[in-house]
Amino acid sequence: MPFWELQRQLGIDVDRWLLRQSMAQPYGKAAACHAFEREWVECGHGLGQTRARRECQPEYEDFMECMHRTKLALRLKTILEQRDKMIREGKYTPPDYHKGKEESRP
C-alpha cells in the first residue's frame, strides 16, 4: 500500500494539531490534562460523532474542566461571596495578615 506511514514519509505530523495535549511536550513530561484528553479520545474512538457526544459527555466535561477550571473558579467565587457576607454580618473577622498588615515580630 503506497499510503502506509504517509505522515512519516512526508515528514509531517497531522495528529499534533488534532490532539492538543498529546503532542511532544518540553522536557518530555506529559501535559497536565493529558490523561483526561486520552480518556475522552479513547471513549469516542470508533463511535459516531452523535453517539460519542452522548456517551462520552462525562469524559469531555472532565477534560474541559482540567483545561479551563470553570467549576473551580465558580466554587472559589461562591466561597469568597460567603466570606464577605459573614464579614458584613460580623460573624467572621479575617486575620491581620489577610488585611495586608504584617505580623508582629519578636
Side-chain angles (χ1 to χ4, degrees):
M1 298 290 269
F3 296 109
W4 284 21
E5 300 188 22
L6 183 63
Q7 291 184 37
R8 186 182 60 78
Q9 291 175 3
L10 295 176
I12 60 172
D13 187 10
V14 178
D15 297 331
R16 188 175 92 197
W17 292 290
L18 296 176
L19 300 175
R20 181 174 173 184
Q21 299 289 316
S22 298
M23 64 183 169
Q25 298 293 319
Y27 309 112
K29 294 183 180 180
C33 301
H34 174 74
F36 292 107
E37 183 184 29
R38 183 163 299 288
E39 286 176 9
W40 175 54
V41 170
E42 286 176 0
C43 176
H45 180 72
L47 301 176
Q49 185 178 16
T50 306
R51 206 172 135 203
R53 282 185 185 161
R54 184 177 59 246
E55 293 182 16
C56 301
Q57 188 66 28
E59 287 85 356
Y60 181 73
E61 287 177 2
D62 289 343
F63 176 51
M64 286 296 112
E65 171 59 20
C66 183
M67 293 286 290
H68 303 294
R69 308 281 189 210
T70 52
K71 293 178 186 175
L72 179 68
L74 183 62
R75 182 171 181 260
L76 182 60
K77 181 182 175 202
T78 305
I79 290 170
L80 292 175
E81 286 173 353
Q82 185 175 3
R83 183 200 65 177
D84 293 341
K85 179 183 171 191
M86 290 175 69
I87 290 172
R88 282 193 307 269
E89 293 174 352
K91 295 180 180 177
Y92 174 72
T93 305
D96 288 339
Y97 55 85
H98 281 196
K99 296 178 186 176
K101 299 177 183 174
E102 290 188 26
E103 292 184 34
S104 60
R105 296 181 185 221

